[in-house]
Amino acid sequence: MKMRSRKKSSIMFRMIIVVSVTMLVLCSTLLLRELNFQRGMYVSSLEQRLKVMVDLELQELNSSIRQASYTLSDKNTNIDFKTNPTFVMIREKLNFLTKDDVISTFVVLPDLMETDKGTGFQIVQGSNSFEKRGLTPNKTLIVDKEIVAVLDELKVEGTAISSDHQAGDSHVMTALHLIKNEQGHSVGILGMEFNYDIIEAELNAILFETLGIIAAIGIASLLLLAGYIRMSLRPLQHMSELAEKAAAGDLTVRLQVKKLDEVGRVSESFNLMIERLSLLIHDVRHMSTDVALASTKLELAADDTSMSAAEVNAAMQQVASGVAMQQTSVYETKQAMTEIAAGVTQMAETSSTVADQMIASSQQTQEGRQVITRTVQQMERIGEASQQTFTALNELTGHVTEISEAIVFIQGIVKQTELLALNASIEAARAGEHGKGFQVVAVEVRKLAEHSKNSLEHIMTLISGIHARNVQTTTAADHQRRAVTDGLAVVKVADEAFVQIAEAIQQITNLVQETSQVSAEMSAASEEVMATLDQLNDIALQSTDYTNSVVASTEQQTTMVEQMKSEVARLHTISKDLEHQLSQFRLSEEQ
């Protein structure tokens, strides 16, 4: 089917058709022109024959024709035309002229007559073949329109030939010659009817001969033209074959340019097109390889970013866990400090009561003994609470230190994320149109890294404040622990020396006053510790909020990284498909 349509639409086939039609039209024009020319030549030859016959054969009949014309003009009806010497001589001469292609001859008067049958000439004499049609002297020859059409020419030229028409049973051409006397007056018209079938046969013979010559020349010219066209179009056929190979992927094909004609210029353009197409495929193949490598690097970078985000998420979860533990420790410390404050208040009240009782009466020594015992127990509880507070504060200091280290680690991850985002932006810029989506992802990752960096800096500032306040709280708790230890020692000494209360009542009173002062100081320290613990609790709550924000940002970053990995995978697939398509083209070795 492909070959059939190719043959129908080939240039050679169309050119042969055009040339054939052109030659056919040209031959037809030439034949018609030759036919008219031959017809004109034949008519001219008939006119020449007629003039020669008149000059040679009828010169001696001029007087006879004039005499016969005068006779007919006199309207003499008693004349025997068959025996009259004048008319007999004329008939014999006319019979002599009637031969070969002349069917009949006749002589008529030059003036037209109107009869019942139509317009015609009065007959002077005719040949035997003319008389057989009933046309005898003194009768009227009704003329056809073909003869009427040449009468004007006859009057001017003296000779005229009509077109073909029917005369009796014959198809004839009538030649007329005007007969004049010595004075130049027209005395008659000589008519000769030529057989048109013979004329047509001669014209056809000439036509067929001319047609054969033209046909032979046309066929030879057509064959030569077809051979020349085929030879000229051979490079185009070769170009078509090479174009099919190029369409199949072989870009090493080239045409040999031997001539600088139109086909040669087309061949040069074809070679230039293949060369540029080869260079284009070569460049696209290199760019496809670069895109594949860039997508691979970007995919590895996305994997590293995803792992970093996972590490950041895990670290922030540890920070959140540490902050939760810090909140628990602060709550327990606050409870213990509440109990310490209550104990200190109770101790101050007890010390005042003991002082009053010691001043009022020594009888309450036993009761004082019991109060001292309760005081010793309370002081022991206070000491334990102080020790727990000190231990909790030390643990809080350790947690704060761990949080600081975790934040430092997260800052490193954030810096690495910023670096990866920068690398992703660079790779996306190299990818061109295909990297616009990755450019947006890289910008979002960089914004997220900057937001994480700012949040970490704020958290670091808060942790530094917590650490400072924790140092102060630890110092106060240490002072409180020492004060409780000293009070406990004093109470124990008081318990051991209670038996000597009577003698040392004044000393006990002083000691009780000192105890009251220490209790007041402990109460103030307890209030400060409570305030510090409240601040620690607030800081812990803020740390929890910041940690949750960082975790949410990390999860968002992970989602964006997964999207980036999906786009990178799609880009990698596209680049592989492009490499597969380009691998079907075979380029020259120098490229």
Side-chain angles (χ1 to χ4, degrees), residues 3 21 56 63 111 136 249 256 289 308 313 329 334 342 390 396 402 422 432 468 474 487 535 553 565 569 586:
M3 293 299 294
V21 172
L56 296 179
S63 60
D111 298 324
T136 58
Q256 293 183 356
T289 304
S308 299
N313 194 3
S329 300
K334 188 176 180 180
F390 185 75
L396 180 60
E402 292 178 357
L422 179 60
T474 303
Q535 293 179 357
S553 299
K565 289 174 64 178
R586 185 164 65 91

Side-chain angles (χ1 to χ4, degrees), residues 211-226:
L211 179 63
I213 295 173
I214 294 176
I217 295 174
I219 293 174
S221 301
L222 187 62
L223 292 176
L224 291 175
L225 181 61

Side-chain angles (χ1 to χ4, degrees), residues 4 28 71 111 114 133 153 170 204 283 298 318 358:
R4 186 181 303 171
S28 300
T71 301
D111 298 324
E114 295 292 337
R133 290 158 52 190
E153 181 183 358
S170 303
N204 289 336
D283 294 339
L298 192 58
Q318 292 179 0
M358 288 295 294

Side-chain angles (χ1 to χ4, degrees), residues 200-217:
E200 187 176 14
E202 293 180 358
L203 291 176
N204 289 336
I206 296 173
L207 177 65
F208 288 142
E209 181 180 359
T210 305
L211 179 63
I213 295 173
I214 294 176
I217 295 174

Side-chain angles (χ1 to χ4, degrees), residues 99-341:
K99 59 182 178 179
D100 297 331
D101 55 346
V102 179
I103 296 176
S104 61
T105 58
F106 58 89
V107 177
V108 295
L109 295 180
D111 298 324
L112 285 174
M113 301 174 58
E114 295 292 337
T115 64
D116 295 338
K117 296 181 180 179
T119 302
F121 293 103
Q122 186 178 4
I123 300 173
V124 176
Q125 184 60 282
S127 62
N128 293 333
S129 59
F130 191 74
E131 290 183 354
K132 289 180 180 179
R133 290 158 52 190
L135 300 174
T136 58
N138 205 29
K139 287 187 177 181
T140 302
L141 173 64
I142 305 301
V143 297
D144 297 331
K145 58 182 181 178
E146 289 80 5
I147 296 177
V148 175
V150 299
L151 291 179
D152 293 335
E153 181 183 358
L154 177 65
K155 293 177 181 180
V156 176
E157 301 293 336
T159 304
I161 297 178
S162 70
S163 60
D164 57 293
H165 61 96
Q166 194 72 27
D169 297 334
S170 303
H171 196 208
V172 300
M173 289 181 65
T174 302
L176 301 176
H177 183 76
L178 192 62
I179 302 174
K180 296 180 180 181
N181 57 16
E182 290 80 359
Q183 289 77 23
H185 298 293
S186 299
V187 295
I189 297 175
L190 173 64
M192 300 181 67
E193 293 177 342
F194 293 90
N195 191 343
Y196 186 75
D197 294 333
I198 297 175
I199 297 173
E200 187 176 14
E202 293 180 358
L203 291 176
N204 289 336
I206 296 173
L207 177 65
F208 288 142
E209 181 180 359
T210 305
L211 179 63
I213 295 173
I214 294 176
I217 295 174
I219 293 174
S221 301
L222 187 62
L223 292 176
L224 291 175
L225 181 61
Y228 178 75
I229 293 174
R230 183 178 181 84
M231 182 177 62
S232 299
L233 295 180
R234 187 173 300 169
L236 294 180
Q237 295 177 354
H238 185 53
M239 184 187 300
S240 176
E241 296 174 357
L242 295 183
E244 291 180 356
K245 291 183 180 180
D250 187 4
L251 299 181
T252 60
V253 295
R254 295 294 185 276
L255 285 173
Q256 293 183 356
V257 181
K258 297 180 179 179
K259 298 180 180 179
L260 295 180
D261 54 359
E262 290 79 1
V263 178
R265 289 194 292 270
V266 171
S267 300
E268 288 182 347
S269 301
F270 177 80
N271 291 337
L272 182 60
M273 179 190 68
I274 295 298
E275 184 69 23
R276 291 182 178 178
L277 182 61
S278 178
L279 292 175
L280 178 62
I281 295 299
H282 182 267
D283 294 339
V284 172
R285 182 179 294 177
H286 279 286
M287 286 189 290
S288 174
T289 304
D290 294 339
V291 169
L293 293 176
S295 62
T296 302
K297 292 181 181 179
L298 192 58
E299 187 174 8
L300 294 176
D303 292 335
D304 294 338
T305 304
S306 179
M307 294 176 62
S308 299
E311 293 176 357
V312 170
N313 194 3
M316 293 311 299
Q317 289 179 357
Q318 292 179 0
V319 171
S321 177
V323 171
M325 294 177 63
Q326 179 185 357
Q327 287 179 339
T328 303
S329 300
V330 169
Y331 179 76
E332 293 177 353
T333 303
K334 188 176 180 180
Q335 293 291 335
M337 290 306 298
T338 302
E339 293 179 358
I340 291 173

